[in-house]
Amino acid sequence: MSPKMRLREETKSKISVLLWLCQVVIVWVLISVLIWLCLKPISPVYMITNAYVPALNQHNSTESIRNNSVVNLNFELSNPNERIGIYYNDITITLYYKDTVIGTNSLAGFYQGYKKATSYGVLVNATDAHQLLRRGVLTGNTTTVEMIRVCLKTAVRYKIFLSTTKHHRMNFEACICIGSDGRISGQREIKLQQMMVKEKIKDGN
């Protein structure tokens, strides 16, 4: 074989090796992207499924009901992820009427498996809430309160296989209207929306 032919064959061989390496790299990149997409955590879904404010129940006007300062809330927390569990820190629920905080309560942290939904009932002892809310109804000359804002704050860690991610802060809120029967008026299930971009926080906080 002449030197030119040998050089040509060596060049073809090198090109073939380079093409093969490029194909391997492309395949690995595609596989990595697919794995990343499959395992990228999705934030939990927070829903208010029911709410009851006895002080606003105009169909039951007894003194004890009018002075009842408890707000009853029902939540559903859902994990939409595939093969990713969620560790919740303690969950803080804060209620606002206009710009006034009318009560707060918390739920203990827990672990939730993937594709699971957990329901909780929360009683918020809203100090003087019955006076504020009833004033809103009477002043507005309407049978519904303009707004009660429900804020939910927590931090979560995602369990992916045997590892756990860092904490991600969650700040969600929703506004609900209460009818003359003291219950949610209009849409019965209300999804809380994210208040701000999630932040990572230090472990142990």
Side-chain angles (χ1 to χ4, degrees), residues 18-61:
L18 287 173
L19 288 174
W20 179 80
L21 287 174
C22 288
Q23 290 174 346
V24 169
V25 169
I26 291 171
V27 169
W28 274 109
V29 168
L30 290 175
I31 291 174
S32 299
V33 169
L34 287 174
I35 292 174
W36 180 80
L37 289 174
C38 291
L39 297 181
K40 183 182 179 182
I42 302 172
S43 295
V45 177
Y46 306 95
M47 299 280 294
I48 299 171
T49 57
N50 197 14
Y52 179 50
V53 185
L56 294 183
N57 187 349
Q58 298 178 19
H59 307 300
N60 190 339
S61 58

Side-chain angles (χ1 to χ4, degrees), residues 29-159:
V29 168
L30 290 175
I31 291 174
S32 299
V33 169
L34 287 174
I35 292 174
W36 180 80
L37 289 174
C38 291
L39 297 181
K40 183 182 179 182
I42 302 172
S43 295
V45 177
Y46 306 95
M47 299 280 294
I48 299 171
T49 57
N50 197 14
Y52 179 50
V53 185
L56 294 183
N57 187 349
Q58 298 178 19
H59 307 300
N60 190 339
S61 58
T62 63
E63 189 69 22
S64 61
I65 293 296
R66 287 199 303 271
N67 294 328
N68 190 335
S69 61
V70 172
V71 178
N72 301 272
L73 295 169
N74 291 100
F75 290 91
E76 182 179 272
L77 283 63
S78 303
N79 178 1
N81 291 285
E82 294 278 0
R83 305 292 175 181
I84 298 177
I86 298 177
Y87 289 98
Y88 294 85
N89 279 16
D90 289 353
I91 300 169
T92 301
I93 309 295
T94 304
L95 303 184
Y96 293 82
Y97 177 62
K98 298 188 183 297
D99 295 325
T100 303
V101 175
I102 60 174
T104 185
N105 202 351
S106 62
L107 297 170
F110 65 98
Y111 172 77
Q112 186 178 53
Y114 55 87
K115 289 296 181 182
K116 298 290 185 182
T118 306
S119 297
Y120 278 103
V122 181
L123 298 179
V124 179
N125 188 14
T127 306
D128 295 330
H130 57 290
Q131 297 179 15
L132 287 169
L133 296 174
R134 290 183 69 83
R135 192 181 308 145
V137 171
L138 297 174
T139 302
N141 192 28
T142 177
T143 58
T144 59
V145 177
E146 289 185 10
M147 278 188 188
I148 297 178
R149 185 159 58 95
V150 181
C151 295
L152 180 153
K153 294 187 178 183
T154 187
V156 303
R157 292 176 296 144
Y158 299 101
K159 181 183 178 184

